[in-house]
Amino acid sequence: VKGNRAPTGVNLPPTISCYARAYMEKRVTPMEVADYITNILGDEDKGKALNAFVSFRPAQLREEAEECGKRLKAGSPRSPLEGVPIAVKEELYAEGYQGSCGTALPLGERALPAKEDCAAVAALRNAGALIIGLTHMTEIGIGVTGHNPNHGPCRNPYNLEYGTGGSSAGSGAAVGAGICPAALACDGGGSIRIPAGFCGVYGLKPTWGRIEEGPGPLDLCKSVGHVGPIAAYSEDLAISGAKPMAGKRVGVFWEWLEDAKNPGALRKGRGLEVAEVVAASKKAISCMEADGAEIVPIAIRKLEEIRLSHAVEIVSSYLDAMGDLYTKNKKVMGLDTRAKLGICVGFTAEHQIQSQRVRTEALEIVNGLFDHVDYIVTPNTSITAPKIHPNLKTGCVDVDRDAQIMKYMLLANLTGIPAVTLPVAYETTTGLPIALHVMAPGWEEEKLLAICLWSDTKFERMPPK
């Protein structure tokens, strides 16, 4: 399919509407799609090299494809999603599939093949979507690079030597590679938006509570966790009419944007890629202004307190979700996971109370800003996808690197406001994607969908390798 803003002669992967149209015109069947995906995932140089899926059941996929085909043949598709392949993060239950939240913890019956779908998967399946398997995630969702010692590294479809970001690594990789047009993911600290940005696609973290969280093998980060889609195109996030940027007020905290070039980001020779991230963000903002948006300088107070409050919230949620499983079986977990959790086991009730105070204040700050702007715009990450270490067996803890990846994510998680990742450029030496991050007021996802549709007409898209 010819994608929006694709270079001449370049074809991008199909959209959801392409699948619907092809089925309607009888050019392809869901069974043929299922067989194609099965062949791709079994190919050593393609699906297996990408390592995006951890649970895949070809027989179940063909069985469900046959049912989709019957409904299409009878002229009674359940929705435009009938027969469209959708992947699901291993953190969520999908009937028949076996997931473990990426951990080797002895989860017992919770790690057996799921007997029913979680709420989000059930909604997709009721709409006729073809669930194709569970995707790779970092162990218990605590990593942001896409590496998991239990599954190995998930690889970036634009350059297999680089990571995908996490923790929804496989969902980002599967959509970025064109295996499916959309995937379900979860986001407690950027886990939808980071892999979407690193893999060159869209990622929407909805308002907290918009989509029911879980259930899954472990109900992780309840207080800051969100379920949402990663999609190849803006039209796959929702069917909506694009609205012009004219009259929109775009808030930019310029000092924070420029802070992408801080010493932690510039270490290990990252100066060029960081400069390109900042330049691409500024270019995208200038494009908004050229289309009639008003760029409003803003300041966001207490960003350091917000970062620390989020750390207390999310790690406390992880420890609570695991309970005795962690204290009795921590040695089976990856060293990187144990190191991150070990730093935070000393959090007290006093820390939790202070965290909630900061959270309340953060909500007041963002609500006050949205009295004056429609959007808050930042880079998605300070750096592009990190390279995968060739001999990494136990995971890696790199505090500086992870801080640069998560820098712009945490405000939206702690306050629950919706946010989206927009692919806007590619790094010159590696070809890795660069993304913009846009936040909107709570329960106003339509504003984010509108800016996604606008961006699809403005920024050139390149296919993955």
Side-chain angles (χ1 to χ4, degrees):
V1 60
K2 191 70 176 175
N4 290 341
R5 297 284 295 173
T8 303
V10 172
N11 287 328
L12 298 176
T15 66
I16 288 174
S17 61
C18 287
Y19 280 95
R21 194 160 53 247
Y23 289 148
M24 187 183 303
E25 296 170 358
K26 296 181 171 55
R27 289 186 282 113
V28 71
T29 67
M31 187 64 75
E32 289 171 324
V33 168
D35 288 342
Y36 176 76
I37 290 171
T38 299
N39 290 335
I40 287 290
L41 296 187
D43 190 307
E44 292 289 343
D45 297 324
K46 295 179 181 178
K48 288 189 175 181
L50 199 66
N51 195 28
F53 286 81
V54 298
S55 183
F56 176 63
R57 294 166 54 85
Q60 180 175 338
L61 179 63
R62 286 178 59 85
E63 181 180 326
E64 294 179 11
E66 184 177 9
E67 294 301 313
C68 292
K70 289 178 180 178
R71 290 192 291 270
L72 287 163
K73 188 174 182 179
S76 55
R78 290 177 173 176
S79 81
L81 286 174
E82 188 70 72
V84 176
I86 305 288
V88 176
K89 185 179 181 180
E90 190 193 2
E91 188 175 331
L92 301 169
Y93 277 145
E95 185 178 354
Y97 289 95
Q98 186 170 1
S100 64
C101 288
T103 184
L105 286 173
L107 299 178
E109 291 186 359
R110 287 180 285 181
L112 295 175
K115 296 179 180 179
E116 60 183 6
D117 295 324
C118 72
V121 173
L124 287 169
R125 213 189 287 272
N126 289 337
L130 192 58
I131 304 302
I132 61 175
L134 300 184
T135 55
H136 183 296
M137 65 179 286
T138 55
E139 187 169 25
I140 68 165
I142 203 170
V144 294
T145 62
H147 181 70
N148 183 331
N150 298 309
H151 297 324
C154 189
R155 298 184 179 274
N156 195 301
Y158 281 85
N159 190 323
L160 295 179
E161 294 182 2
Y162 288 78
T164 56
S167 62
S168 308
S171 291
V175 175
I179 295 171
C180 52
L184 270 184
C186 306
D187 189 320
S191 293
I192 290 173
R193 294 158 289 156
I194 292 167
F198 282 173
C199 294
V201 293
Y202 290 89
L204 174 66
K205 182 200 78 62
T207 303
W208 189 84
R210 168 76 75 179
I211 300 175
E212 185 176 340
E213 174 82 4
L218 287 169
D219 292 331
L220 302 168
C221 53
K222 283 287 191 180
S223 64
V224 292
H226 305 66
V227 174
I230 293 176
Y233 308 97
S234 59
E235 67 179 78
D236 292 338
L237 289 178
I239 298 172
S240 176
K243 300 177 182 178
M245 289 301 299
K248 296 294 186 292
R249 300 163 300 168
V250 177
V252 182
F253 187 6
W254 291 106
E255 183 180 344
W256 198 27
L257 187 151
E258 291 284 356
D259 192 55
K261 295 186 285 190
N262 66 77
L266 297 176
R267 66 192 284 268
K268 298 181 180 178
R270 289 178 176 143
L272 178 61
E273 67 178 273
V274 172
E276 290 198 44
V277 167
V278 172
S281 300
K282 290 181 175 179
K283 184 177 179 180
I285 292 167
S286 295
C287 196
M288 294 175 184
E289 187 173 29
D291 276 9
E294 177 188 0
I295 307 304
V296 181
I298 61 172
I300 305 173
R301 297 181 292 111
K302 295 188 175 291
L303 285 172
E304 180 60 13
E305 291 90 336
I306 288 168
R307 182 184 71 83
L308 294 172
S309 176
H310 174 271
V312 172
E313 284 294 313
I314 193 166
V315 178
S316 297
S317 294
Y318 287 142
L319 293 171
D320 178 65
M322 291 182 289
D324 289 345
L325 275 174
Y326 171 70
T327 54
K328 294 178 180 179
N329 303 281
K330 65 176 71 175
K331 289 185 178 180
V332 306
M333 303 183 83
L335 291 177
D336 54 344
T337 304
R338 288 157 59 187
K340 292 169 186 174
L341 291 173
I343 293 170
C344 305
V345 291
F347 288 157
T348 65
E350 185 178 347
H351 291 125
Q352 278 286 346
I353 292 168
Q354 185 61 28
S355 170
Q356 291 305 313
R357 287 173 179 157
V358 172
R359 190 175 200 169
T360 299
E361 190 168 3
L363 275 166
E364 292 172 353
I365 290 169
V366 295
N367 288 337
L369 290 171
F370 283 127
D371 286 338
H372 305 285
V373 299
D374 298 294
Y375 302 106
I376 296 174
V377 175
T378 71
N380 198 57
T381 53
S382 294
I383 59 175
T384 52
K387 199 164 189 176
I388 297 170
H389 193 287
N391 299 311
L392 203 59
K393 296 181 179 179
T394 59
C396 173
V397 177
D398 184 331
V399 176
D400 278 339
R401 178 203 60 198
D402 290 358
Q404 306 319 314
I405 292 173
M406 298 178 72
K407 176 189 290 288
Y408 302 106
M409 301 286 106
L410 308 182
L411 178 63
N413 283 100
L414 192 68
T415 60
I417 61 173
V420 73
T421 294
L422 314 178
V424 296
Y426 300 88
E427 206 264 327
T428 52
T429 57
T430 61
L432 292 168
I434 297 172
L436 197 71
H437 184 240
V438 184
M439 294 172 274
W443 309 105
E444 295 190 26
E445 283 86 351
E446 71 279 359
K447 285 185 175 180
L448 297 179
L449 297 173
I451 204 169
C452 290
L453 288 159
W454 168 83
S455 74
D456 247 355
T457 68
K458 297 296 177 181
F459 306 112
E460 187 172 88
R461 300 285 297 278
M462 297 296 293
K465 289 184 178 181

PDB file of all heavy atoms in Angstrom, residues 72-100:
ATOM      1  N   LEU A  72     -17.106 -13.030   6.714  1.00  0.00           N
ATOM      2  CA  LEU A  72     -16.906 -12.165   5.543  1.00  0.00           C
ATOM      3  C   LEU A  72     -17.621 -12.732   4.311  1.00  0.00           C
ATOM      4  O   LEU A  72     -18.252 -11.992   3.551  1.00  0.00           O
ATOM      5  CB  LEU A  72     -15.403 -12.016   5.258  1.00  0.00           C
ATOM      6  CG  LEU A  72     -14.630 -11.131   6.241  1.00  0.00           C
ATOM      7  CD1 LEU A  72     -13.133 -11.373   6.123  1.00  0.00           C
ATOM      8  CD2 LEU A  72     -14.960  -9.667   5.982  1.00  0.00           C
ATOM      9  N   LYS A  73     -17.539 -14.028   4.145  1.00  0.00           N
ATOM     10  CA  LYS A  73     -18.186 -14.667   3.001  1.00  0.00           C
ATOM     11  C   LYS A  73     -19.698 -14.517   3.076  1.00  0.00           C
ATOM     12  O   LYS A  73     -20.383 -14.353   2.040  1.00  0.00           O
ATOM     13  CB  LYS A  73     -17.807 -16.150   2.955  1.00  0.00           C
ATOM     14  CG  LYS A  73     -18.280 -16.861   1.691  1.00  0.00           C
ATOM     15  CD  LYS A  73     -17.754 -18.288   1.645  1.00  0.00           C
ATOM     16  CE  LYS A  73     -18.192 -18.983   0.357  1.00  0.00           C
ATOM     17  NZ  LYS A  73     -17.662 -20.379   0.294  1.00  0.00           N
ATOM     18  N   ALA A  74     -20.232 -14.525   4.308  1.00  0.00           N
ATOM     19  CA  ALA A  74     -21.675 -14.375   4.497  1.00  0.00           C
ATOM     20  C   ALA A  74     -22.116 -12.915   4.407  1.00  0.00           C
ATOM     21  O   ALA A  74     -23.318 -12.618   4.498  1.00  0.00           O
ATOM     22  CB  ALA A  74     -22.087 -14.963   5.838  1.00  0.00           C
ATOM     23  N   GLY A  75     -21.143 -12.015   4.243  1.00  0.00           N
ATOM     24  CA  GLY A  75     -21.480 -10.595   4.166  1.00  0.00           C
ATOM     25  C   GLY A  75     -21.862  -9.996   5.509  1.00  0.00           C
ATOM     26  O   GLY A  75     -22.580  -8.996   5.568  1.00  0.00           O
ATOM     27  N   SER A  76     -21.369 -10.603   6.603  1.00  0.00           N
ATOM     28  CA  SER A  76     -21.737 -10.112   7.934  1.00  0.00           C
ATOM     29  C   SER A  76     -20.506  -9.911   8.824  1.00  0.00           C
ATOM     30  O   SER A  76     -20.412 -10.509   9.906  1.00  0.00           O
ATOM     31  CB  SER A  76     -22.707 -11.081   8.602  1.00  0.00           C
ATOM     32  OG  SER A  76     -22.144 -12.400   8.645  1.00  0.00           O
ATOM     33  N   PRO A  77     -19.537  -9.106   8.372  1.00  0.00           N
ATOM     34  CA  PRO A  77     -18.384  -8.824   9.232  1.00  0.00           C
ATOM     35  C   PRO A  77     -18.823  -8.084  10.493  1.00  0.00           C
ATOM     36  O   PRO A  77     -19.771  -7.295  10.461  1.00  0.00           O
ATOM     37  CB  PRO A  77     -17.493  -7.946   8.352  1.00  0.00           C
ATOM     38  CG  PRO A  77     -18.422  -7.297   7.387  1.00  0.00           C
ATOM     39  CD  PRO A  77     -19.489  -8.324   7.112  1.00  0.00           C
ATOM     40  N   ARG A  78     -18.151  -8.339  11.571  1.00  0.00           N
ATOM     41  CA  ARG A  78     -18.534  -7.711  12.833  1.00  0.00           C
ATOM     42  C   ARG A  78     -18.197  -6.223  12.854  1.00  0.00           C
ATOM     43  O   ARG A  78     -18.870  -5.439  13.531  1.00  0.00           O
ATOM     44  CB  ARG A  78     -17.832  -8.419  13.986  1.00  0.00           C
ATOM     45  CG  ARG A  78     -18.352  -9.824  14.236  1.00  0.00           C
ATOM     46  CD  ARG A  78     -17.572 -10.504  15.354  1.00  0.00           C
ATOM     47  NE  ARG A  78     -18.172 -11.789  15.721  1.00  0.00           N
ATOM     48  CZ  ARG A  78     -17.656 -12.615  16.611  1.00  0.00           C
ATOM     49  NH1 ARG A  78     -16.517 -12.292  17.220  1.00  0.00           N
ATOM     50  NH2 ARG A  78     -18.252 -13.754  16.897  1.00  0.00           N
ATOM     51  N   SER A  79     -17.146  -5.839  12.159  1.00  0.00           N
ATOM     52  CA  SER A  79     -16.715  -4.443  12.122  1.00  0.00           C
ATOM     53  C   SER A  79     -15.620  -4.326  11.063  1.00  0.00           C
ATOM     54  O   SER A  79     -15.213  -5.338  10.476  1.00  0.00           O
ATOM     55  CB  SER A  79     -16.177  -4.009  13.496  1.00  0.00           C
ATOM     56  OG  SER A  79     -14.845  -4.447  13.666  1.00  0.00           O
ATOM     57  N   PRO A  80     -15.099  -3.113  10.809  1.00  0.00           N
ATOM     58  CA  PRO A  80     -13.953  -2.987   9.896  1.00  0.00           C
ATOM     59  C   PRO A  80     -12.707  -3.732  10.368  1.00  0.00           C
ATOM     60  O   PRO A  80     -11.765  -3.903   9.596  1.00  0.00           O
ATOM     61  CB  PRO A  80     -13.705  -1.471   9.860  1.00  0.00           C
ATOM     62  CG  PRO A  80     -15.018  -0.853  10.182  1.00  0.00           C
ATOM     63  CD  PRO A  80     -15.639  -1.782  11.184  1.00  0.00           C
ATOM     64  N   LEU A  81     -12.692  -4.180  11.629  1.00  0.00           N
ATOM     65  CA  LEU A  81     -11.563  -4.950  12.139  1.00  0.00           C
ATOM     66  C   LEU A  81     -11.654  -6.438  11.818  1.00  0.00           C
ATOM     67  O   LEU A  81     -10.743  -7.196  12.158  1.00  0.00           O
ATOM     68  CB  LEU A  81     -11.461  -4.789  13.665  1.00  0.00           C
ATOM     69  CG  LEU A  81     -10.925  -3.455  14.192  1.00  0.00           C
ATOM     70  CD1 LEU A  81     -11.021  -3.418  15.710  1.00  0.00           C
ATOM     71  CD2 LEU A  81      -9.488  -3.231  13.751  1.00  0.00           C
ATOM     72  N   GLU A  82     -12.723  -6.865  11.154  1.00  0.00           N
ATOM     73  CA  GLU A  82     -12.901  -8.291  10.857  1.00  0.00           C
ATOM     74  C   GLU A  82     -11.701  -8.834  10.082  1.00  0.00           C
ATOM     75  O   GLU A  82     -11.355  -8.353   8.996  1.00  0.00           O
ATOM     76  CB  GLU A  82     -14.163  -8.510  10.027  1.00  0.00           C
ATOM     77  CG  GLU A  82     -14.540  -9.980   9.818  1.00  0.00           C
ATOM     78  CD  GLU A  82     -15.031 -10.654  11.105  1.00  0.00           C
ATOM     79  OE1 GLU A  82     -16.163 -10.346  11.544  1.00  0.00           O
ATOM     80  OE2 GLU A  82     -14.275 -11.476  11.655  1.00  0.00           O
ATOM     81  N   GLY A  83     -11.021  -9.837  10.680  1.00  0.00           N
ATOM     82  CA  GLY A  83      -9.898 -10.491  10.022  1.00  0.00           C
ATOM     83  C   GLY A  83      -8.594  -9.713  10.049  1.00  0.00           C
ATOM     84  O   GLY A  83      -7.591 -10.170   9.490  1.00  0.00           O
ATOM     85  N   VAL A  84      -8.572  -8.558  10.693  1.00  0.00           N
ATOM     86  CA  VAL A  84      -7.355  -7.748  10.742  1.00  0.00           C
ATOM     87  C   VAL A  84      -6.434  -8.287  11.837  1.00  0.00           C
ATOM     88  O   VAL A  84      -6.854  -8.429  12.985  1.00  0.00           O
ATOM     89  CB  VAL A  84      -7.687  -6.260  11.011  1.00  0.00           C
ATOM     90  CG1 VAL A  84      -6.403  -5.451  11.164  1.00  0.00           C
ATOM     91  CG2 VAL A  84      -8.538  -5.700   9.880  1.00  0.00           C
ATOM     92  N   PRO A  85      -5.172  -8.591  11.517  1.00  0.00           N
ATOM     93  CA  PRO A  85      -4.266  -9.155  12.527  1.00  0.00           C
ATOM     94  C   PRO A  85      -3.837  -8.119  13.561  1.00  0.00           C
ATOM     95  O   PRO A  85      -3.391  -7.020  13.217  1.00  0.00           O
ATOM     96  CB  PRO A  85      -3.069  -9.632  11.692  1.00  0.00           C
ATOM     97  CG  PRO A  85      -3.093  -8.782  10.463  1.00  0.00           C
ATOM     98  CD  PRO A  85      -4.535  -8.488  10.183  1.00  0.00           C
ATOM     99  N   ILE A  86      -3.988  -8.467  14.830  1.00  0.00           N
ATOM    100  CA  ILE A  86      -3.622  -7.596  15.949  1.00  0.00           C
ATOM    101  C   ILE A  86      -2.793  -8.411  16.942  1.00  0.00           C
ATOM    102  O   ILE A  86      -3.173  -9.523  17.315  1.00  0.00           O
ATOM    103  CB  ILE A  86      -4.877  -7.054  16.682  1.00  0.00           C
ATOM    104  CG1 ILE A  86      -5.820  -6.338  15.710  1.00  0.00           C
ATOM    105  CG2 ILE A  86      -4.461  -6.137  17.832  1.00  0.00           C
ATOM    106  CD1 ILE A  86      -5.345  -5.012  15.207  1.00  0.00           C
ATOM    107  N   ALA A  87      -1.666  -7.872  17.374  1.00  0.00           N
ATOM    108  CA  ALA A  87      -0.829  -8.533  18.373  1.00  0.00           C
ATOM    109  C   ALA A  87      -1.150  -7.983  19.769  1.00  0.00           C
ATOM    110  O   ALA A  87      -1.702  -6.890  19.907  1.00  0.00           O
ATOM    111  CB  ALA A  87       0.643  -8.317  18.049  1.00  0.00           C
ATOM    112  N   VAL A  88      -0.788  -8.744  20.790  1.00  0.00           N
ATOM    113  CA  VAL A  88      -1.118  -8.382  22.175  1.00  0.00           C
ATOM    114  C   VAL A  88       0.125  -8.538  23.045  1.00  0.00           C
ATOM    115  O   VAL A  88       0.806  -9.569  22.987  1.00  0.00           O
ATOM    116  CB  VAL A  88      -2.255  -9.275  22.729  1.00  0.00           C
ATOM    117  CG1 VAL A  88      -2.532  -8.956  24.188  1.00  0.00           C
ATOM    118  CG2 VAL A  88      -3.520  -9.126  21.893  1.00  0.00           C
ATOM    119  N   LYS A  89       0.407  -7.550  23.874  1.00  0.00           N
ATOM    120  CA  LYS A  89       1.542  -7.617  24.794  1.00  0.00           C
ATOM    121  C   LYS A  89       1.366  -8.756  25.787  1.00  0.00           C
ATOM    122  O   LYS A  89       0.257  -9.023  26.261  1.00  0.00           O
ATOM    123  CB  LYS A  89       1.675  -6.287  25.538  1.00  0.00           C
ATOM    124  CG  LYS A  89       2.909  -6.194  26.434  1.00  0.00           C
ATOM    125  CD  LYS A  89       2.978  -4.847  27.117  1.00  0.00           C
ATOM    126  CE  LYS A  89       4.213  -4.706  27.988  1.00  0.00           C
ATOM    127  NZ  LYS A  89       4.280  -3.385  28.661  1.00  0.00           N
ATOM    128  N   GLU A  90       2.466  -9.410  26.126  1.00  0.00           N
ATOM    129  CA  GLU A  90       2.446 -10.573  27.020  1.00  0.00           C
ATOM    130  C   GLU A  90       1.902 -10.243  28.406  1.00  0.00           C
ATOM    131  O   GLU A  90       1.570 -11.141  29.181  1.00  0.00           O
ATOM    132  CB  GLU A  90       3.873 -11.123  27.133  1.00  0.00           C
ATOM    133  CG  GLU A  90       3.968 -12.459  27.821  1.00  0.00           C
ATOM    134  CD  GLU A  90       5.385 -12.838  28.194  1.00  0.00           C
ATOM    135  OE1 GLU A  90       6.308 -12.031  27.953  1.00  0.00           O
ATOM    136  OE2 GLU A  90       5.558 -13.930  28.761  1.00  0.00           O
ATOM    137  N   GLU A  91       1.755  -8.982  28.727  1.00  0.00           N
ATOM    138  CA  GLU A  91       1.251  -8.561  30.028  1.00  0.00           C
ATOM    139  C   GLU A  91      -0.255  -8.789  30.167  1.00  0.00           C
ATOM    140  O   GLU A  91      -0.791  -8.761  31.270  1.00  0.00           O
ATOM    141  CB  GLU A  91       1.566  -7.068  30.216  1.00  0.00           C
ATOM    142  CG  GLU A  91       1.283  -6.519  31.585  1.00  0.00           C
ATOM    143  CD  GLU A  91       1.741  -5.076  31.724  1.00  0.00           C
ATOM    144  OE1 GLU A  91       2.711  -4.674  31.047  1.00  0.00           O
ATOM    145  OE2 GLU A  91       1.132  -4.339  32.520  1.00  0.00           O
ATOM    146  N   LEU A  92      -0.945  -9.029  29.042  1.00  0.00           N
ATOM    147  CA  LEU A  92      -2.405  -9.138  29.023  1.00  0.00           C
ATOM    148  C   LEU A  92      -2.841 -10.553  28.677  1.00  0.00           C
ATOM    149  O   LEU A  92      -2.180 -11.246  27.898  1.00  0.00           O
ATOM    150  CB  LEU A  92      -2.990  -8.152  27.990  1.00  0.00           C
ATOM    151  CG  LEU A  92      -2.668  -6.674  28.226  1.00  0.00           C
ATOM    152  CD1 LEU A  92      -3.070  -5.852  27.011  1.00  0.00           C
ATOM    153  CD2 LEU A  92      -3.355  -6.170  29.484  1.00  0.00           C
ATOM    154  N   TYR A  93      -3.964 -10.964  29.218  1.00  0.00           N
ATOM    155  CA  TYR A  93      -4.519 -12.274  28.899  1.00  0.00           C
ATOM    156  C   TYR A  93      -5.193 -12.261  27.532  1.00  0.00           C
ATOM    157  O   TYR A  93      -6.008 -11.381  27.224  1.00  0.00           O
ATOM    158  CB  TYR A  93      -5.559 -12.682  29.945  1.00  0.00           C
ATOM    159  CG  TYR A  93      -5.001 -13.299  31.207  1.00  0.00           C
ATOM    160  CD1 TYR A  93      -5.617 -13.068  32.440  1.00  0.00           C
ATOM    161  CD2 TYR A  93      -3.896 -14.143  31.172  1.00  0.00           C
ATOM    162  CE1 TYR A  93      -5.133 -13.649  33.608  1.00  0.00           C
ATOM    163  CE2 TYR A  93      -3.406 -14.725  32.337  1.00  0.00           C
ATOM    164  CZ  TYR A  93      -4.023 -14.469  33.545  1.00  0.00           C
ATOM    165  OH  TYR A  93      -3.535 -15.047  34.693  1.00  0.00           O
ATOM    166  N   ALA A  94      -4.858 -13.262  26.717  1.00  0.00           N
ATOM    167  CA  ALA A  94      -5.560 -13.532  25.468  1.00  0.00           C
ATOM    168  C   ALA A  94      -5.857 -15.024  25.447  1.00  0.00           C
ATOM    169  O   ALA A  94      -4.934 -15.846  25.567  1.00  0.00           O
ATOM    170  CB  ALA A  94      -4.724 -13.140  24.251  1.00  0.00           C
ATOM    171  N   GLU A  95      -7.106 -15.378  25.325  1.00  0.00           N
ATOM    172  CA  GLU A  95      -7.539 -16.772  25.468  1.00  0.00           C
ATOM    173  C   GLU A  95      -6.709 -17.715  24.605  1.00  0.00           C
ATOM    174  O   GLU A  95      -6.510 -17.494  23.403  1.00  0.00           O
ATOM    175  CB  GLU A  95      -9.016 -16.899  25.090  1.00  0.00           C
ATOM    176  CG  GLU A  95      -9.573 -18.289  25.318  1.00  0.00           C
ATOM    177  CD  GLU A  95     -11.052 -18.396  24.991  1.00  0.00           C
ATOM    178  OE1 GLU A  95     -11.666 -17.345  24.697  1.00  0.00           O
ATOM    179  OE2 GLU A  95     -11.592 -19.521  25.029  1.00  0.00           O
ATOM    180  N   GLY A  96      -6.209 -18.777  25.252  1.00  0.00           N
ATOM    181  CA  GLY A  96      -5.439 -19.804  24.553  1.00  0.00           C
ATOM    182  C   GLY A  96      -3.946 -19.562  24.550  1.00  0.00           C
ATOM    183  O   GLY A  96      -3.161 -20.483  24.309  1.00  0.00           O
ATOM    184  N   TYR A  97      -3.524 -18.333  24.820  1.00  0.00           N
ATOM    185  CA  TYR A  97      -2.102 -17.997  24.771  1.00  0.00           C
ATOM    186  C   TYR A  97      -1.497 -17.990  26.169  1.00  0.00           C
ATOM    187  O   TYR A  97      -2.144 -17.605  27.143  1.00  0.00           O
ATOM    188  CB  TYR A  97      -1.901 -16.637  24.100  1.00  0.00           C
ATOM    189  CG  TYR A  97      -2.166 -16.688  22.612  1.00  0.00           C
ATOM    190  CD1 TYR A  97      -3.416 -16.347  22.106  1.00  0.00           C
ATOM    191  CD2 TYR A  97      -1.176 -17.093  21.724  1.00  0.00           C
ATOM    192  CE1 TYR A  97      -3.676 -16.404  20.745  1.00  0.00           C
ATOM    193  CE2 TYR A  97      -1.418 -17.150  20.358  1.00  0.00           C
ATOM    194  CZ  TYR A  97      -2.673 -16.805  19.876  1.00  0.00           C
ATOM    195  OH  TYR A  97      -2.920 -16.873  18.529  1.00  0.00           O
ATOM    196  N   GLN A  98      -0.218 -18.377  26.232  1.00  0.00           N
ATOM    197  CA  GLN A  98       0.472 -18.533  27.498  1.00  0.00           C
ATOM    198  C   GLN A  98       1.484 -17.398  27.669  1.00  0.00           C
ATOM    199  O   GLN A  98       2.417 -17.259  26.879  1.00  0.00           O
ATOM    200  CB  GLN A  98       1.192 -19.883  27.539  1.00  0.00           C
ATOM    201  CG  GLN A  98       1.830 -20.213  28.868  1.00  0.00           C
ATOM    202  CD  GLN A  98       2.315 -21.658  28.907  1.00  0.00           C
ATOM    203  OE1 GLN A  98       2.182 -22.391  27.945  1.00  0.00           O
ATOM    204  NE2 GLN A  98       2.879 -22.054  30.044  1.00  0.00           N
ATOM    205  N   GLY A  99       1.293 -16.582  28.699  1.00  0.00           N
ATOM    206  CA  GLY A  99       2.200 -15.473  28.956  1.00  0.00           C
ATOM    207  C   GLY A  99       2.648 -15.449  30.404  1.00  0.00           C
ATOM    208  O   GLY A  99       2.028 -16.062  31.276  1.00  0.00           O
ATOM    209  N   SER A 100       3.731 -14.711  30.658  1.00  0.00           N
ATOM    210  CA  SER A 100       4.282 -14.682  32.020  1.00  0.00           C
ATOM    211  C   SER A 100       4.790 -13.300  32.415  1.00  0.00           C
ATOM    212  O   SER A 100       5.558 -13.182  33.361  1.00  0.00           O
ATOM    213  CB  SER A 100       5.431 -15.692  32.136  1.00  0.00           C
ATOM    214  OG  SER A 100       6.498 -15.310  31.285  1.00  0.00           O
TER     215      SER A 100
END
